[in-house]
Amino acid sequence: MTLDVELPPPPQRVEPPSVRSRHVLSDSRTRDLLHHGFPARLHYRLELWSTSGWFDNQVGKAEWDVIVRFTPLDKRYAVLRIENDRVSQLGPFERFDEAVAAVERPFRPEIRAPARRDKQYYRLVLDVAMLTVNDLDEVERWLRGEFRPAVRGQRNPGTAITRGVRSLVVGLLGSQNQEYQMRTRTFVP
């Protein structure tokens, strides 16, 4: 697994950096869970820190998610990026390597270094989690525009059975959550 935060060239250091993660989905357990219908959630948090003063101070932060989902019925992968309540579909893909390539493309989040003369650095944290059934339901409701989970009086009885089977499979396959971190060198914008 590799995390990269590429700083813009010196005259443009106040512009957003380019963030890239590689080999995030290369773990065999992650691939197995994806192929069994459990989406992967990649939560990125990019923090901008200033080293002026006695302690480092956080001066900015950007967060976004990338959701990767395989639909066994269609045999297609969906890749979505969610940033500031905006959903961008990175595309449906027929092959796993195409979905991985979409996840690994560089991305410039909405964060800018203030044009101060103090030293600064970026810290990137990536949390990789396989979504549970409840998380998946919540994401699907949010994508449909339902911002609060609605409790409905009528539910398909098959849904409870499916939910129970999925929970059992996640337990058997070994659900996993992983965190990765990296820090850039200090720079002056």
Side-chain angles (χ1 to χ4, degrees):
M1 216 310 284
T2 307
L3 292 177
D4 293 319
V5 177
E6 186 178 323
L7 300 174
Q12 301 155 340
R13 287 261 162 91
V14 293
E15 295 298 316
S18 177
V19 175
R20 187 172 188 187
S21 57
R22 294 179 217 183
H23 309 292
V24 177
L25 302 174
S26 63
D27 180 73
S28 63
R29 279 190 144 178
T30 302
R31 282 195 313 261
D32 286 345
L33 286 169
L34 270 172
H35 287 126
H36 285 92
F38 294 94
R41 176 181 177 247
L42 288 67
H43 180 76
Y44 294 84
R45 186 175 71 243
L46 183 66
E47 302 166 344
L48 177 63
W49 290 81
S50 170
T51 61
S52 65
W54 291 92
F55 301 101
D56 293 358
N57 297 317
Q58 185 177 339
V59 294
K61 180 171 74 169
E63 294 187 71
W64 67 98
D65 291 307
V66 174
I67 308 290
V68 182
R69 182 176 184 183
F70 176 70
T71 309
L73 195 59
D74 298 339
K75 295 188 179 183
R76 300 190 122 208
Y77 295 90
V79 181
L80 304 169
R81 180 181 300 119
I82 304 169
E83 181 187 28
N84 296 333
D85 294 333
R86 286 190 324 264
V87 178
S88 304
Q89 289 198 18
L90 304 181
F93 302 100
E94 292 183 16
R95 295 190 346 240
F96 179 70
D97 59 334
E98 294 172 331
V100 168
V103 170
E104 293 183 353
R105 278 188 214 123
F107 176 67
R108 291 191 185 276
E110 294 181 11
I111 188 170
R112 295 178 184 274
R116 299 189 294 202
R117 301 309 306 163
D118 58 342
K119 291 182 180 179
Q120 300 174 25
Y121 64 90
Y122 286 102
R123 178 176 174 263
L124 177 63
V125 178
L126 170 60
D127 292 313
V128 180
M130 300 309 292
L131 293 178
T132 65
V133 176
N134 290 337
D135 295 335
L136 177 58
D137 289 342
E138 192 69 29
V139 168
E140 287 176 348
R141 279 190 213 110
W142 186 83
L143 291 173
R144 285 193 310 261
E146 298 176 25
F147 295 103
R148 279 181 257 132
V151 177
R152 299 190 177 149
Q154 298 177 354
R155 281 194 129 166
N156 180 352
T159 310
I161 294 169
T162 303
R163 201 173 311 139
V165 169
R166 279 191 177 177
S167 297
L168 177 63
V169 170
V170 167
L172 292 174
L173 290 174
S175 175
Q176 59 184 20
N177 295 333
Q178 298 175 355
E179 180 180 282
Y180 304 96
Q181 298 183 29
M182 69 85 57
R183 176 186 156 166
T184 65
R185 67 184 190 285
T186 57
F187 64 92
V188 177

